Amino acid sequence: MFLILCSSNDYSAQWAYQGLRRLGVAPVELITSEALAYTRYWEHRVGAAGGAIRIGLPDGRAICGSRVRGVLNRLLSAPQDLVNCARPNDRDYATQELSSFYLSWLQALPGTVINRPEPQGFCGRWRHTSEWATLAHRAGLPAPSYRQTAQDAPETGYRSLAPAGAPIQYVIVLRGEVFGAVLPEITRAACTRFAEFAETEMLGIELFRAADDRWTLAGATPYPDLTVGGEPLISHLAHLFANGGRH
């Protein structure tokens, strides 16, 4: 069994689901965060031998962790509908408890999981712009200088590094392979190293051409628009699922 975990409005995940089915990946199940909010039963056990998962979905489908061979994880948060069941004064606490539970059962999923959860994000680590820039420099991918002061609004730390109006090119790195925009080999290699340093199996990267004509980092995300990678990305994902994550 293969799982696509996403929200109901994650259209690129739904596109990937259809693409995997078309390529013969089976059985593959699309499971939305909304469905997970109203499960009929949920069993998650953690022990010395690892974790076990059994989930009964509202539509009658049953998910058993022992049967899972591959997962595309696109979940962003615990279901807000569940959080809203708590009293207003308890909702922050409920969010923290649900988040801990989600991190645990997502981490316990067996097989090839793209992307595994992190404390800083259910589908991979969301980083401050300064962190992305630092990793880019380590990887040999040019990045603009970054400055932020105590007077700047916090959201400044999550803005694009590209100048206003600069055309953006998008690529996705999936386990060492680059998909999307056609780029020079030196840039593709730097993007691969960047994803490796970020420890993110599927990483979306935004690039712009700087004044010195070099492709330069504009931003990165563990939650890319999958359609950027097109059919080659879906074919590679299907290959990884079929071969237990091996290239």
Side-chain angles (χ1 to χ4, degrees), residues 59-121:
D59 58 10
R61 289 180 295 166
I63 306 299
C64 180
S66 63
R67 296 176 54 213
V68 174
R69 295 173 53 199
V71 181
L72 174 58
N73 174 28
R74 301 269 295 177
L75 292 181
L76 295 175
S77 64
Q80 189 61 40
D81 284 355
L82 287 182
V83 173
N84 291 342
C85 290
R87 294 183 178 183
N89 290 344
D90 293 331
R91 285 177 185 169
D92 285 345
Y93 172 75
T95 297
Q96 295 301 319
E97 290 297 305
L98 273 173
S99 295
S100 297
F101 175 67
Y102 264 65
L103 286 172
S104 181
W105 76 263
L106 287 170
Q107 189 62 42
L109 288 168
T112 303
V113 180
I114 314 286
N115 293 329
R116 286 196 179 274
E118 296 280 349
Q120 297 83 8

Side-chain angles (χ1 to χ4, degrees), residues 219-232:
T221 176
Y223 187 75
D225 176 0
L226 301 176
T227 62
V228 165
E231 291 300 320

Side-chain angles (χ1 to χ4, degrees), residues 4-247:
I4 310 293
L5 305 176
C6 63
S7 69
S8 61
N9 60 3
D10 185 351
Y11 300 115
S12 75
Q14 296 172 37
W15 169 83
Y17 166 70
Q18 295 296 340
L20 291 173
R21 291 186 62 188
R22 186 173 60 255
L23 292 173
V25 177
V28 57
E29 301 286 350
L30 181 75
I31 302 176
T32 67
S33 55
E34 291 82 359
L36 291 171
Y38 298 100
T39 52
R40 295 166 53 236
Y41 60 85
W42 199 319
E43 179 181 335
H44 175 39
R45 299 177 182 271
V46 180
I53 302 164
R54 291 179 66 248
I55 304 172
L57 297 172
D59 58 10
R61 289 180 295 166
I63 306 299
C64 180
S66 63
R67 296 176 54 213
V68 174
R69 295 173 53 199
V71 181
L72 174 58
N73 174 28
R74 301 269 295 177
L75 292 181
L76 295 175
S77 64
Q80 189 61 40
D81 284 355
L82 287 182
V83 173
N84 291 342
C85 290
R87 294 183 178 183
N89 290 344
D90 293 331
R91 285 177 185 169
D92 285 345
Y93 172 75
T95 297
Q96 295 301 319
E97 290 297 305
L98 273 173
S99 295
S100 297
F101 175 67
Y102 264 65
L103 286 172
S104 181
W105 76 263
L106 287 170
Q107 189 62 42
L109 288 168
T112 303
V113 180
I114 314 286
N115 293 329
R116 286 196 179 274
E118 296 280 349
Q120 297 83 8
F122 280 8
C123 64
R125 183 174 175 180
W126 296 83
R127 287 177 164 86
H128 191 275
T129 301
S130 61
E131 294 180 89
W132 290 125
T134 300
L135 289 176
H137 281 296
R138 284 183 56 200
L141 181 64
S145 298
Y146 179 84
R147 292 179 177 84
Q148 184 176 359
T149 71
Q151 285 71 45
D152 293 325
E155 56 268 23
T156 302
Y158 299 92
R159 60 176 173 79
S160 172
L161 290 168
I168 303 295
Q169 294 285 352
Y170 301 89
V171 297
I172 295 175
V173 181
L174 173 56
R175 287 202 174 184
E177 299 290 334
V178 182
F179 303 91
V182 177
L183 299 169
E185 184 55 38
I186 189 172
T187 304
R188 294 170 65 88
C191 287
T192 300
R193 290 191 298 271
F194 180 48
E196 181 180 351
F197 290 155
E199 299 180 336
T200 305
E201 293 187 307
M202 180 184 286
L203 183 68
I205 303 174
E206 302 172 5
L207 302 163
F208 70 98
R209 196 184 290 274
D212 60 7
D213 209 37
R214 293 190 301 170
W215 286 107
T216 301
L217 179 73
T221 176
Y223 187 75
D225 176 0
L226 301 176
T227 62
V228 165
E231 291 300 320
L233 174 68
I234 298 303
S235 296
H236 189 52
L237 182 59
H239 174 79
L240 291 173
F241 280 169
N243 292 277
R246 297 184 298 274
H247 290 279

